[in-house]
Amino acid sequence: MDLEDKFREIGGWEEKPKNIQAELRDDISADVVIIGAGLAGLCAALELVKDGSKVVVLEKEFAGFGASGRNAGYLGGALGLKYELFLKKLGNEAAKNVVNFYEEGVNFAEKMFQEYNIQCDYNQSGLIRAAIHPSQEKQIHEEIRIAAELGCSLEFWNNSKMRAKGIPSAFLFGSYIPRGGTLNPGKYILGLREAAIQAGVKLYENTPLISFTEGAVINVKTPNGSVNAPNLIFASNAFTPKMGVLASTIVPLRVSAIETEPLSQAQLDALGWPGREGITTSHHIMESHRLTARNTLVCTTKQLRYIYGSNTPNKPDYVHYRALKNALNERFPFLKDISIKSCWSGYISYANDSIPVVGTLGSSSNIYYATGCSGHGLGTQGMVGHMIAQKIQKKDENPLLSFLMAHKNPSTLPEPFRWCVLNSALYAASRLDEKVNQKVKGL
């Protein structure tokens, strides 16, 4: 299995924009400076410029280079959340707020598609969290029960329903959420990028943050310029700890993906799957499988890895790519000879309690941050950026933002304990998942 020549240093959805915006090479001022041109940063910028604010966005690479353009493209609402953990840690009412937050993220993203006429191959098919072995049925039913208690309505699709819907036979039964669906995240983030440029947002790409000085007016330094502004938003997600912010609160976890070459018509006919619903498995560390608008299969996750010191190297992970190819072969054995078109990796930001990390820093409380979406941020990260922008504009504060900003996320362990504990836990979860996979092979 030769994957060595398939690695992409950028996500597999889109190519690097042709109209890369110039690096900052001056000392300028703004009303708000935003670090990171992903979903949170661009949605914040788009809201801010509506009232005439002068907005500067600084991006180390190009808009969408990080998780916003590398994810699996699932607009999933509250499907697959850790409902039981939220109940245990937060209690019923606060757990309902978390679930509502993720559900509202679907509404927000769909609104952005329409408002800015973004064509991102959105398939409003709903999503499935599927079992691959009968032993997972109890877990699926329990998730549906708790989700309903917290305000998220999931349907149980038994084996007959799955077969009637044409879902590939490896997925036996599961929970289905009718809201949301799948999309091309590269097209979504590039659509936001173009909208921001057209709206007058000053986007500087190839412009990393060097340092910042807090105060009533914040000074942000870059290699060849600086920005003074009364407000700063860190919208840098998994890269935030390496900027000296939230290093004890979130950790970046490496996630990988593979994409096949386009399927032939005969292969598509054999596959079925007419609704093209996005599927995640009910493993401890899920697999995700989806059929794209360009008739390729994309398989992601399966393994997670923490890099020592919260580092985020943009390097291939061939062990993970091979594990994903094996998963693809196991779920779709009749496609075992299909070629892999590309593989890539990226980083999600993870908080100890799986609650998004949103708040302010500095003596003037004018440094905002939004991170810790734990792999569920396609709808919510843009929404948080939008809500922070409204707070800066002194509009009525969204109750969901108030809830998140009041929540105190627990600290992570210091190194080297963090590396040892996190990777030990991830390894143990992988071993449990492999036991389930072995049971499937034995059927």
Side-chain angles (χ1 to χ4, degrees):
M1 190 188 304
D2 183 14
L3 296 172
E4 276 66 16
D5 60 342
K6 307 297 184 181
F7 172 69
R8 286 172 60 95
E9 291 188 345
I10 63 174
W13 296 104
E14 291 294 307
E15 298 302 322
K16 187 175 180 179
K18 294 180 179 179
N19 62 333
I20 288 293
Q21 300 298 287
E23 174 191 355
L24 177 61
R25 290 184 173 274
D26 203 352
D27 298 319
I28 61 175
S29 62
D31 297 311
V32 184
V33 57
I34 300 172
I35 309 300
L39 291 170
L42 291 179
C43 288
L46 282 165
E47 176 63 16
L48 287 162
V49 295
K50 287 180 181 179
D51 73 349
S53 294
K54 183 178 180 182
V55 183
V56 168
V57 179
L58 305 178
E59 167 58 49
K60 181 180 179 182
E61 302 287 346
F62 58 86
F65 176 84
S68 295
R70 294 173 185 251
N71 63 81
Y74 285 62
L75 186 59
L79 182 69
L81 296 180
K82 298 183 178 180
Y83 311 113
E84 190 172 351
L85 174 65
F86 297 155
L87 274 174
K88 181 179 178 181
K89 295 285 187 182
L90 302 175
N92 190 275
E93 288 307 309
K96 285 182 178 179
N97 281 332
V98 176
V99 168
N100 185 35
F101 167 73
Y102 281 103
E103 288 288 275
E104 284 299 315
V106 175
N107 296 334
F108 176 81
E110 290 178 339
K111 181 178 78 70
M112 296 299 282
F113 304 158
Q114 294 178 358
E115 182 175 352
Y116 295 102
N117 191 27
I118 298 175
Q119 305 301 312
C120 56
D121 302 331
Y122 181 45
N123 178 26
Q124 203 282 299
S125 59
L127 299 172
I128 301 170
R129 181 167 166 82
I132 62 167
H133 189 268
S135 63
Q136 296 173 314
E137 184 169 1
K138 180 179 178 182
Q139 173 191 344
I140 292 282
H141 280 295
E142 183 65 3
E143 289 176 354
I144 292 173
R145 182 190 70 79
I146 299 177
E149 184 179 328
L150 298 180
C152 177
S153 180
L154 305 178
E155 302 172 17
F156 179 71
W157 281 12
N158 61 20
N159 189 269
S160 295
K161 184 68 174 280
M162 295 281 271
R163 304 291 74 81
K165 290 289 186 177
I167 305 302
S169 59
F171 308 106
L172 306 181
F173 49 83
S175 57
Y176 170 74
I177 189 167
R179 300 177 67 249
T182 61
L183 54 94
N184 180 321
K187 288 184 177 180
Y188 180 30
I189 192 67
L190 292 182
L192 291 173
R193 176 184 181 273
E194 185 61 27
I197 293 171
Q198 292 298 319
V201 173
K202 296 298 182 182
L203 171 62
Y204 295 95
E205 295 175 308
N206 295 319
T207 305
L209 169 72
I210 298 299
S211 65
F212 68 97
T213 304
E214 57 181 81
V217 175
I218 301 159
N219 178 257
V220 172
K221 292 191 180 300
T222 69
N224 296 297
S226 67
V227 186
N228 286 324
N231 294 285
L232 166 64
I233 302 175
F234 275 100
S236 40
N237 206 29
F239 304 106
T240 309
K242 298 309 288 184
M243 298 178 183
V245 178
L246 305 176
S248 64
T249 307
I250 63 164
V251 295
L253 297 180
R254 175 185 259 175
V255 183
S256 294
I258 61 171
E259 181 177 15
T260 69
E261 293 288 353
L263 276 63
S264 67
Q265 189 58 54
Q267 289 171 324
L268 288 169
D269 292 342
L271 182 64
W273 208 349
R276 301 192 178 210
E277 300 87 351
I279 297 175
T280 60
T281 63
S282 54
H283 290 94
H284 292 282
I285 302 176
M286 70 175 190
E287 300 169 11
S288 84
H289 299 273
R290 59 165 295 196
L291 187 57
T292 72
R294 55 199 186 200
N295 293 332
T296 62
L297 280 168
V298 170
C299 179
T300 73
T301 314
K302 190 169 179 66
Q303 295 179 359
L304 294 171
R305 185 183 174 197
Y306 170 68
I307 311 298
Y308 190 89
S310 290
N311 286 312
T312 54
N314 190 26
K315 295 180 179 179
D317 187 347
Y318 293 115
V319 171
H320 194 174
Y321 305 147
R322 291 188 176 90
L324 288 170
K325 183 62 165 67
N326 289 336
L328 202 67
N329 292 343
E330 290 171 5
R331 308 300 163 238
F332 311 101
F334 55 94
L335 296 175
K336 66 180 180 180
D337 295 326
I338 195 168
S339 297
I340 299 301
K341 174 185 175 183
S342 60
C343 48
W344 64 92
S345 299
Y347 295 87
I348 62 173
S349 57
Y350 180 78
N352 245 2
D353 58 359
S354 297
I355 308 295
V357 181
V358 183
T360 60
L361 299 169
S363 57
S364 300
S365 297
N366 56 349
I367 300 173
Y368 299 83
Y369 54 82
T371 183
C373 52
S374 302
H376 294 270
L378 186 54
T380 56
Q381 280 300 96
M383 183 174 69
V384 172
H386 177 87
M387 292 189 297
I388 289 174
Q390 291 184 320
K391 183 176 178 64
I392 291 172
Q393 293 166 329
K394 303 190 184 306
K395 296 181 179 179
D396 290 341
E397 186 168 312
N398 190 302
L400 289 174
L401 181 67
S402 301
F403 163 72
L404 292 174
M405 294 186 74
H407 177 69
K408 302 300 181 186
N409 301 87
S411 297
T412 61
L413 292 169
E415 299 287 21
F417 304 107
R418 180 189 305 169
W419 184 90
C420 294
V421 171
L422 267 175
N423 283 319
S424 294
L426 293 172
Y427 176 78
S430 293
R431 294 304 303 161
L432 290 172
D433 289 340
E434 188 54 35
K435 287 183 179 181
V436 174
N437 295 336
Q438 292 302 318
K439 289 180 182 179
V440 173
K441 291 178 182 178
L443 288 177

